[in-house]
Amino acid sequence: RYHKAKLIIMIRHPIKWFQSFYNFRVREYYPRTMPETHTMTKKCFKGMQGVCADRANFHDFLWRLGKTDGMIAAMTLPWKEALKIPENKLLSLVRKKPQLYPSKTAIFIAHTEQLARNVNDTRLSQFTSDVQSFLGLKHAISDVHHISPTKFSQKNKQVRENIEKRVINICDEDHVIIRKKLLDISQRASEWIRTYFLASPDVVVSSKEYFLE
């Protein structure tokens, strides 16, 4: 139905994604509490507010767009071993075939850090130019604005302090278990995206050399 639609997909390193999403939920759902991060290494369950390691498997969701026959996204094997298996044999190793949504939809994929003006103005300029070309816009994109998704700004000082005490720094030792899990996921996702997803003629990426770093 939407075969002429174009998708822009932004991805982020799973570790940074998890910390950001977790802290967003901490602020958004106060005074309710979030679970300890070491309990969030698998699929989400009630009380996690959608934050769990399973949702950091971005390659699982990208695979369902039908741009590649690669089944590595659904594998439980170590990613280096999975890459050695021919794609046509991987299907038999998957417990349950994921639902696919194959189409000729054009996809523009980018990393969130490509939007950071304080990192590299030239790269941001290239990004906006590539988006303009991808969408077929006649006019240049003037600027990229950052908008916080938080519903409200807490004015009560005590409440703000209580909230900030619950915010996590994922580099702390308390979060080593979830960090290791997310690092493994990031390796899988990176390898699959590089090897299969970017090989699709329907997929466009800006500043490919930087994206692959």
Side-chain angles (χ1 to χ4, degrees):
R1 184 178 179 181
Y2 303 106
H3 61 283
K4 293 184 179 181
K6 295 183 177 181
L7 301 180
I8 297 178
I9 299 176
M10 304 298 300
I11 60 175
R12 194 175 191 179
H13 192 288
I15 291 177
K16 291 184 177 181
W17 168 85
F18 184 93
Q19 175 179 281
S20 177
F21 195 16
Y22 186 99
N23 289 338
F24 167 71
R25 291 304 197 199
V26 165
R27 296 185 174 100
E28 192 78 353
Y29 284 89
Y30 181 85
R32 288 174 287 180
T33 58
M34 290 290 289
E36 296 292 326
T37 60
H38 67 83
T39 68
M40 309 172 83
T41 59
K42 298 180 180 180
K43 291 188 176 182
C44 294
F45 57 77
K46 188 175 181 179
M48 288 186 175
Q49 308 298 346
V51 185
C52 60
D54 184 64
R55 294 191 66 184
N57 285 291
F58 306 140
H59 47 314
D60 280 338
F61 300 99
L62 292 175
W63 181 82
R64 297 182 187 189
L65 293 172
K67 299 304 180 183
T68 169
D69 292 330
M71 293 298 298
I72 292 173
M75 296 299 296
T76 57
L77 292 173
W79 61 273
K80 287 185 178 180
E81 293 181 23
L83 285 173
K84 298 176 183 178
I85 302 175
E87 288 185 302
N88 60 357
K89 294 183 179 180
L90 288 172
L91 182 58
S92 63
L93 300 176
V94 181
R95 296 178 183 177
K96 183 179 179 182
K97 184 178 179 181
Q99 187 173 1
L100 292 178
Y101 305 93
S103 72
K104 287 295 182 180
T105 299
I107 296 174
F108 185 100
I109 187 169
H111 194 285
T112 55
E113 290 186 4
Q114 290 177 262
L115 295 176
R117 182 179 296 279
N118 61 328
V119 175
N120 190 309
D121 283 347
T122 301
R123 190 176 297 126
L124 177 59
S125 177
Q126 181 64 51
F127 173 84
T128 55
S129 176
D130 290 341
V131 170
Q132 177 189 352
S133 177
F134 174 74
L135 296 177
L137 302 178
K138 295 182 179 180
H139 303 289
I141 299 174
S142 59
D143 201 356
V144 177
H145 301 279
H146 177 268
I147 300 176
S148 174
T150 304
K151 289 182 180 178
F152 62 92
S153 177
Q154 182 54 249
K155 297 181 180 180
N156 185 292
K157 182 180 179 181
Q158 185 60 54
V159 172
R160 287 202 310 270
E161 291 177 352
N162 291 340
I163 290 175
E164 292 310 308
K165 289 177 181 178
R166 299 182 182 186
V167 167
I168 68 167
N169 180 342
I170 204 165
C171 293
D172 291 345
E173 190 64 24
D174 291 344
H175 311 296
V176 64
I177 294 177
I178 188 67
R179 195 167 62 244
K180 287 181 177 179
K181 178 65 176 180
L182 293 168
L183 183 59
D184 178 66
I185 289 174
S186 70
Q187 291 174 326
R188 292 170 181 264
S190 174
E191 214 41 49
W192 185 84
I193 291 171
R194 290 163 176 259
T195 306
Y196 296 103
F197 196 66
L198 295 187
S200 170
D202 296 332
V203 177
V204 177
V205 60
S206 179
S207 301
K208 189 172 183 178
E209 297 77 11
Y210 174 76
F211 184 87
L212 293 175
E213 287 180 3

